[in-house]
Amino acid sequence: MKELLAGLPWWVKWVAIPVIAVAVFGGMITSAVFFVVGLLFKVLLFVALVGGLIYVVRKFTGTSSSSSSSSPSSRSEW
């Protein structure tokens, strides 16, 4: 491979070959980037929803059921 690229001008190695690679594999690269970005968005949305759920449950559990709790454990032990 080195012998093949050794005699070519710099613009073929650094401009033409990457442009051809993007033209051939561009759709695959784009779909992979969109997949990763979509997956990251879904993971962040999941984390935010679970965090919000935990916050709401702890807020309402701490104010309403702490008096009806059978165990004498405090909220700071969580």
Side-chain angles (χ1 to χ4, degrees):
M1 188 71 175
K2 282 187 176 184
E3 297 86 24
L4 182 67
L5 295 176
L8 297 175
W10 68 269
W11 60 270
V12 173
K13 292 185 235 181
W14 299 106
V15 177
I17 293 175
V19 166
I20 292 171
V22 167
V24 171
F25 298 108
M28 186 172 62
I29 293 169
T30 304
S31 64
V33 168
F34 278 124
F35 175 75
V36 169
V37 170
L39 186 64
L40 180 63
F41 175 74
K42 288 178 184 178
V43 167
L44 290 176
L45 181 65
F46 176 75
V47 168
L49 289 173
V50 168
L53 177 66
I54 291 172
Y55 173 77
V56 168
V57 167
R58 283 193 178 176
K59 182 172 178 142
F60 286 117
T61 303
T63 58
S64 63
S65 69
S66 62
S67 60
S68 65
S69 171
S70 62
S71 66
S73 64
S74 67
R75 190 169 174 200
S76 63
E77 292 178 3
W78 288 58

